[in-house]
Amino acid sequence: MPIKSIAVIVEATPPGEARIAFAARLACAHSAHLVGLFVVPMLTGGHGAESFVRGHQALKDVIAHQRAREAEAVEAAKRSLSGVCGRQGVSFEFRSLEQGEFGDDLALNSLHADLVVTGGPSGNGGLPNAWSAEALLLATGVPFLLLPDCWTGAAVEHVVVAWNASREARRAVADALPLLVAAKSVTVLLVDPGKNSRHGDEPGADIALYLSRHGAKVTVEQIASNGAPVARAILDHVRQSAADLVIIGAYSHARAAQMVFGGVTRSLLREAAIPLLIAH
């Protein structure tokens, strides 16, 4: 399925501007519509005396001042999105979401996108601290592309697929197929394939053939971890190959209300310095 609708978490900050520009370039490359989602922050840091006001009118004045600051934040985020999209010639819309119900609202808005672009796990990526892209991924099933704040790459050209022949990895490949077909090169990367019977007699051959039939330019790389964590082996290979996107399938299990990702997924989310597309 082609990518025709991309959502991006908007912030009027330098990392937010870079994220919007990245998402706008993706939208332009795929002739997609871009939806900017801005979570209105719970602003603090006003004058200290506001905490001690008394009287109906004084409270009304404090609330009005707070709302004015929130409106300024919304307008700044809207200008940031419209400026970038105007330069890229991308069709777009802007939606602001209130903090109180943002979890449900953000999940609902994400459900109507083919891909959601947000910040990497080192920051909140425009989301309140109580939520994360991973939590929204599990809540929606929509693939998320996490862009590290330090990332300066301009496009998705050289992609690595972390392949372990699992259902989750297969889902990630399907969700990322338009990006894989458009890339200049795709590497299907297998770590210690001999230890995984699901790979079959020719590890990586079948998924590479599947991708090549769709038009992707694919090679298969089999590497050994040599006792190191699998995530470390993947990241070392990614650095050496100058890849600009890693595709991974995330899995989780639920205990009570807590969602926990698998070890390799968690390590990649924590340590990767390049964009990650995660699907579940």
Side-chain angles (χ1 to χ4, degrees):
M1 185 175 68
I3 294 175
K4 290 302 174 185
S5 181
I6 298 172
V8 59
I9 308 302
V10 174
E11 286 181 286
T13 64
E17 292 269 1
R19 188 185 316 132
I20 295 168
F22 184 93
R25 286 191 293 269
L26 272 183
C28 185
H30 293 270
S31 300
H33 181 70
L34 189 62
V35 180
L37 302 177
F38 177 66
V39 180
V40 181
M42 299 288 287
L43 294 174
T44 57
H47 196 283
E50 292 181 351
S51 302
F52 302 96
V53 297
R54 295 291 183 273
H56 181 68
Q57 185 58 49
L59 287 172
K60 284 180 64 177
D61 291 343
V62 169
I63 293 171
H65 181 247
Q66 180 77 2
R67 287 177 176 170
R69 293 176 64 214
E70 290 176 355
E72 288 175 5
V74 170
E75 286 303 313
K78 187 184 297 185
R79 286 195 301 271
S80 181
L81 178 70
S82 61
V84 172
C85 291
R87 291 190 294 272
Q88 292 285 341
V90 172
S91 71
F92 72 96
E93 62 187 277
F94 176 85
R95 302 178 186 178
S96 61
L97 309 176
E98 296 295 331
Q99 282 268 357
E101 299 295 331
F102 95 95
D104 290 340
D105 285 351
L106 193 51
L108 178 62
N109 281 274
S110 299
L111 281 173
H112 306 130
D114 297 310
L115 179 68
V116 179
V117 180
T118 186
S122 59
N124 67 4
L127 304 175
N129 292 331
W131 275 74
S132 66
E134 303 94 277
L136 285 167
L137 168 73
L138 294 175
T140 64
V142 178
F144 274 67
L145 194 156
L146 280 67
L147 193 73
D149 289 350
C150 62
W151 183 250
T152 58
V156 174
E157 296 183 340
H158 305 289
V159 183
V160 170
V161 177
W163 181 250
N164 63 359
S166 66
R167 183 197 71 81
E168 292 80 10
R170 175 62 180 82
R171 171 65 185 271
V173 166
D175 285 342
L177 193 57
L179 299 176
L180 295 170
V181 171
K184 291 183 177 179
S185 69
V186 176
T187 300
V188 174
L189 183 65
L190 300 87
V191 180
D192 299 328
K195 298 179 181 179
N196 185 349
S197 61
R198 291 195 301 266
H199 285 308
D201 295 334
E202 295 184 61
D206 289 334
I207 191 64
L209 182 59
Y210 166 81
L211 288 171
S212 65
R213 283 173 175 158
H214 279 276
K217 306 169 186 67
V218 189
T219 59
V220 177
E221 293 274 354
Q222 301 181 19
I223 62 174
S225 65
N226 296 317
V230 170
R232 174 53 47 197
I234 293 172
L235 291 174
D236 287 345
H237 182 276
V238 165
R239 277 192 292 270
Q240 294 165 9
S241 64
D244 46 38
L245 180 66
V246 177
I247 310 293
I248 59 172
Y251 72 92
S252 69
H253 62 272
R255 287 183 178 175
Q258 186 178 26
M259 293 292 188
V260 183
F261 277 106
V264 174
T265 310
R266 286 199 308 271
S267 296
L268 288 172
L269 289 170
R270 184 175 60 249
E271 300 174 27
I274 74 166
L276 295 175
L277 189 150
I278 57 175
H280 175 70

